[in-house]
Amino acid sequence: MKPIRRTHQGLAILKALAEAHGPLTPREIHARSKKLAPNIGLRTVYRKIQDLTAEGSVLGLDYPGKPPLYELVNEQGYHSHFICRQCEQVFDLKMKIERIRYTPPPDFKIDGEEIVFFGICPKCAGSQ
């Protein structure tokens, strides 16, 4: 697939993702993108996210019970996340994790991996 054309709206989406401290929902991306591209529509955000994901610039995360989340692909290609059990916000974890060695069952093809930690974030811990 050829790289997508970088439009003002696409750059606003990339900037919103780059400035985030964790993965965002499409609605969160839309709200943040509107600061740079006031006329951007939610439908455009969904379309650009789809293009950026297909291109390999953005990674989609799918956690049970949560809406789809998106973030920029980093230099590692993967990293871990922390989900607060109280506010349910997802945070990036800046930690080095050695690759897990595993043997999939016969005929299984693994195309990704994710390590997720759960607990209470500092903001929620302070409100208890």
Side-chain angles (χ1 to χ4, degrees), residues 41-106:
L42 185 57
R43 184 181 279 184
T44 299
V45 170
Y46 275 102
R47 192 171 49 252
K48 292 288 186 184
I49 288 171
Q50 186 176 28
D51 291 344
L52 291 165
T53 302
E55 178 191 65
S57 300
V58 170
L59 177 66
L61 304 170
D62 188 21
Y63 296 124
K66 302 211 57 67
L69 299 166
Y70 299 91
E71 66 184 2
L72 290 179
V73 172
N74 65 12
E75 56 280 347
Q76 288 176 279
Y78 69 94
H79 57 275
S80 298
H81 293 96
F82 176 93
I83 300 177
C84 178
R85 291 193 188 273
Q86 190 166 332
C87 68
E88 298 184 353
Q89 188 170 352
V90 180
F91 300 88
D92 284 339
L93 289 181
K94 307 293 186 214
M95 56 190 286
K96 177 81 169 148
I97 296 179
E98 297 299 320
R99 292 205 76 92
I100 298 171
R101 298 187 198 293
Y102 45 81
T103 303

Side-chain angles (χ1 to χ4, degrees), residues 102-113:
Y102 45 81
T103 303
D107 300 325
F108 280 68
K109 180 180 181 275
I110 297 174
D111 64 3
E113 62 188 52

